Amino acid sequence: MTVLGTIMVLAGAVQQQPALRVGPNVRVSRMDGPHVELMVAASPVDPAQLIGAAIAFIGPDNRNATLPYASRDGGNTWFPTLLPEQVRLGGADPQVIFDATGAAHLATLANVVDSTGRPRAGLHVYRSLDGGSTWEPVRDLGVSYDHPQLVADPRNRGGGARLYIGVLYGRDYTVGVFRSEDGGRTYRGPQVATRAAAGAGINVANLLVLSDGALFVPFSAFEIEPEKRAAAESSEFSFVLSEDGGRSFSDATHIGWQVHGGGNALELRRELGHVAVPQFPVYATDPRLGPFQDRIYVAWNDYRTGPSRILFSYSADRGETWTPAVEVAPAPDGEQYQPTIAVNRDGVVGLLWLDTRDAGSDWRSHAWFTASPDGGRTFLPPARVSTEASWPLTAGNVRPMPSWFPSTEGPARFGTISAGSRWANGGDYIGLAADAGGAFHPFWPDSRTGEYQIWTARVELAGAGTTTRDRSTLMEASLNREIELRMDPTSWDATRGEAVLPVRLRNATQDTLWGPFTVQVVTAGPTGTGSTSVAAQATILNAPNGETGAGALFDYAEALGDFTFLPPGGVTAALPWRVKAADPTRTNFNFEVEIRGFRRR
């Protein structure tokens, strides 16, 4: 067994490798209140279907609860679904997956009260047969569970699917596994997978299923006694394996060590303004037939060289041996944290993380992405995915929200919680999925609007599934009938009498449309008033050509990200239109515009 420990900076002829192509940033969530602890999954049979989930503050008293989202157009637009139990009870720790048949599944904790009146964490699971648009009634798997980890067998077993849920439970820190052999209709368990050593703690990480159905259950072990925990500079991560469908498990096999410096050092980092804190390692595998079949990948953030860095390793022999730890995206300064991994249909390993480089301070971050086309041996130069930096301590994130404190004895209690204090790093995990067409979909927490919201983007390897066209076959044209104008949530500055309208372009046709796109204002004013007075007009403040009304021109060339086209249903990034109202009672603005771009001759 190779012990991870040697830091190696990946080198190689990456100049010969494809480049990453990042699409426009798309805001997923539209509801007020922070969204943290994100997950996302892609259908294995339909590249247009995606589901996501987050902890959001919803319901009549704005408690934290799990909120699922669904997209039917490849991640361009998303719709939330309110789960009655989550609205009523609240909850956390969302997990979403698709199984091999295309059915969607969600697992989450729910705040319940047991028969004695004590507050407990219940484990609730849901199933959807329409891509997450609607969910079947909840299945209640019992109480006193934590950190559920949901995975599906990638094989279609005669039209059905086998699913597993790893959980932490018991006073002795037990990792157990629920299993379903009928596509999530019923579950059995939990079957004990492993227990912590005396005086120590463990927690389960994300489960994997290999090509032959073997179940890989990773976990991390750590000190729980306060003095030992403060001094311990590292924690161990290992795994157990089940080759009989989750009925029995092997002895634990060591993978490596995560160096974090101990509780005292971590507290000092927080006091100095560092948001990067250790998360459990994350795992992925490639179960498809090919040169990297059943290769297991692991990534984690680690402090052994000083600042937090993302380290990576893989095993080509089902976990028996592991390559030395490597730093995937060396940076001269800043910190890296929150890694997550996904493998696409071509065996390309995608890696997403948050990084303070280029963000202005160690409290601000961007989302970054890199990929390995050769099974984890080398990685492409990283690409920044987010177009704006995110700061955890915005007013929206630190705003106190109701917390859940039921009590059946002693004094009555109530309390608050905030995203900035409890989930300053965006939660215990963020999301990344690879769709059936091979594109990657990052899912990251981003507070550019004033509080953590869910943002996503489409990431591809240039030349892998992307669209190119000889521009001589295109013609410039008016696209008023082909393109819709969509708007992200707006804002209003009452002091200045100014509105910010984040305007996107959406391809409403079944044909690809080509940029650069421009939008020119023909008329600007309020609607429904019939007034033509100067006081009733809207003044555009930020058109690049300096016009403030008719003639104002917005160029959407850079709003396409690294792409030059809009696929059917595709959207651009949102450009902010700053509009001043001469009369603050007349903010029902109306614009007539001319949209121009390119289409096929």
Side-chain angles (χ1 to χ4, degrees), residues 6-10 300 310-313 324-328 376 379:
T6 304
I7 301 299
M8 301 171 62
V9 175
L10 288 173
W300 68 100
I310 304 302
L311 302 188
F312 174 88
S313 177
V326 297
E327 189 176 328
V328 298
F379 282 83

Side-chain angles (χ1 to χ4, degrees), residues 18 79 124 212 272 282 292 308 323 372 384 403 411 461 483 508 540 559 572:
F79 303 91
H124 287 182
D212 62 356
L272 294 174
V282 290
F292 312 125
S308 178
T323 59
S372 173
R384 200 178 81 186
S403 187
L461 270 66
I483 285 182
I540 298 172
T572 68

Side-chain angles (χ1 to χ4, degrees), residues 260-276 363:
H260 48 67
N264 291 336
L266 291 175
E267 187 59 34
L268 177 61
R269 290 191 188 100
R270 292 188 183 96
E271 292 176 359
L272 294 174
H274 297 253
V275 71
W363 270 101

Side-chain angles (χ1 to χ4, degrees), residues 421-446:
S421 57
R422 171 58 180 86
W423 299 284
N425 59 348
D428 292 342
Y429 36 77
I430 60 176
L432 179 66
D435 68 30
F440 291 95
H441 298 269
F443 219 61
W444 74 93
D446 192 311

Side-chain angles (χ1 to χ4, degrees), residues 477-487 501 503-506 517-525 540 543 549-556 577 579 589-597:
S478 171
L479 300 178
N480 292 346
R481 295 183 179 273
E482 289 86 355
I483 285 182
E484 299 174 344
L485 275 71
R486 294 291 182 91
M487 204 175 299
L501 314 179
V503 179
R504 298 180 184 271
L505 309 184
R506 178 182 181 272
F517 301 104
T518 59
V519 179
Q520 187 160 32
V521 175
V522 178
T523 63
I540 298 172
L553 184 72
F554 289 89
D555 185 347
Y556 277 77
W577 291 29
V579 181
F589 303 120
N590 181 55
F591 300 95
E592 293 180 341
V593 300
E594 172 70 15
I595 306 169
R596 299 195 67 82

Side-chain angles (χ1 to χ4, degrees), residues 213-466:
L215 177 64
F216 177 91
V217 181
F219 62 95
S220 289
F222 44 84
E223 297 288 352
I224 57 174
E225 296 180 10
E227 290 186 2
K228 291 183 178 180
R229 190 166 188 168
E233 295 189 353
S234 62
S235 57
E236 182 181 16
F237 49 106
S238 309
F239 75 94
V240 294
L241 196 69
S242 175
E243 299 185 291
D244 58 5
R247 294 173 174 82
S248 64
F249 293 85
S250 68
D251 292 335
T253 298
H254 171 80
I255 300 175
W257 296 92
Q258 181 178 27
V259 177
H260 48 67
N264 291 336
L266 291 175
E267 187 59 34
L268 177 61
R269 290 191 188 100
R270 292 188 183 96
E271 292 176 359
L272 294 174
H274 297 253
V275 71
V277 295
Q279 293 85 39
F280 295 122
V282 290
Y283 301 82
T285 190
D286 184 359
R288 302 167 184 83
L289 182 64
F292 312 125
Q293 185 179 47
D294 289 338
R295 186 166 290 190
I296 302 171
Y297 307 100
V298 59
W300 68 100
N301 69 313
D302 194 285
Y303 296 84
R304 67 187 66 181
T305 61
S308 178
R309 291 288 182 264
I310 304 302
L311 302 188
F312 174 88
S313 177
Y314 69 84
S315 172
D317 54 13
R318 300 169 68 93
E320 288 299 315
T321 60
W322 297 80
T323 59
V326 297
E327 189 176 328
V328 298
D333 52 25
E335 295 200 299
Q336 304 168 343
Y337 57 104
Q338 288 287 35
T340 188
I341 319 175
V343 182
N344 77 0
R345 66 176 187 180
D346 303 313
V348 176
V349 183
L351 180 62
L352 173 73
W353 71 97
L354 302 182
D355 199 316
T356 64
R357 78 173 94 179
D358 295 346
S361 79
D362 283 345
W363 270 101
R364 298 178 184 268
S365 66
H366 277 289
W368 285 75
F369 181 91
T370 186
S372 173
D374 56 8
R377 295 188 185 94
T378 61
F379 282 83
L380 302 178
R384 200 178 81 186
V385 177
S386 55
T387 54
E388 296 186 42
S390 179
W391 183 44
L393 298 184
T394 59
N397 285 342
V398 300
R399 175 166 55 112
M401 307 290 276
S403 187
W404 188 64
F405 279 118
S407 178
T408 57
E409 58 184 20
R413 296 184 298 163
F414 80 98
T416 64
I417 192 171
S418 74
S421 57
R422 171 58 180 86
W423 299 284
N425 59 348
D428 292 342
Y429 36 77
I430 60 176
L432 179 66
D435 68 30
F440 291 95
H441 298 269
F443 219 61
W444 74 93
D446 192 311
S447 58
R448 71 179 71 179
T449 62
E451 62 187 7
Y452 274 137
Q453 295 287 326
I454 309 171
W455 287 74
T456 189
R458 182 182 182 90
V459 181
E460 297 179 350
L461 270 66
T466 58

